[in-house]
Amino acid sequence: MTTEAKCTAPQRLAILVWAAEPEAPQRCATPFYFAATAAAFDAEVEMYFTARAVELLRAGVAETLYAAAGEVNAAGKSVAHFLREAAALGVKMYACPTAMAAQGLPAAELRLEVTAQAGAAAFIGRTLDADWRTLTF
């Protein structure tokens, strides 16, 4: 038995990010890591950021966060490293406009990697579409 994953056709994955917030940096790199991994398998990947997690899309915030310290993160990779890696692999990132308003995050302060604004209706649309798989962080 092998642990190597097999993908026979391109897939679509929508990821809801709501519990990965700046106050809990140990949770912040994982959604980007999973998104990048799926994209490396040639999946179409979209990430939807809501609640406090939308702060990860504020320019400059992810650069200040580290999911791990010491030997576990000997390379000193910030959450921004994982975010940029996912974006480079084609992952689309969407900021919830309601969450942006609640956090006082104007569109002008969004990172360049952010694709657009999209909220609950867009993500729910993906969950109801049989061609999409979903994950929540």
Side-chain angles (χ1 to χ4, degrees):
M1 184 170 163
T2 179
T3 58
E4 185 177 316
K6 303 251 191 265
C7 240
T8 58
Q11 298 293 317
R12 295 179 170 145
L13 177 65
I15 299 174
L16 179 66
V17 184
W18 71 273
E21 53 195 21
E23 295 78 15
Q26 71 278 9
R27 292 188 218 139
C28 294
T30 304
F32 296 110
Y33 189 78
F34 274 65
T37 301
F41 276 97
D42 293 326
E44 180 180 346
V45 182
E46 297 178 350
M47 298 179 80
Y48 294 84
F49 294 80
T50 191
R52 291 274 304 137
V54 77
E55 283 290 332
L56 297 176
L57 301 181
R58 186 186 295 263
V61 170
E63 285 78 6
T64 67
L65 302 173
Y66 294 84
E71 288 185 31
V72 175
N73 190 12
K77 294 178 182 175
S78 69
V79 171
H81 166 84
F82 295 98
L83 184 154
R84 287 190 299 267
E85 188 175 68
L89 287 165
V91 172
K92 295 176 183 166
M93 298 177 203
Y94 297 97
C96 173
T98 304
M100 289 173 60
Q103 300 306 315
L105 174 55
E109 292 183 22
L110 289 172
R111 300 180 64 90
L112 295 177
E113 294 90 349
V114 176
T115 305
Q117 294 179 39
F123 182 76
I124 294 299
R126 295 301 191 216
T127 69
L128 298 175
D129 187 329
D131 290 337
W132 286 81
R133 310 284 192 281
T134 58
L135 285 176
T136 302
F137 289 93

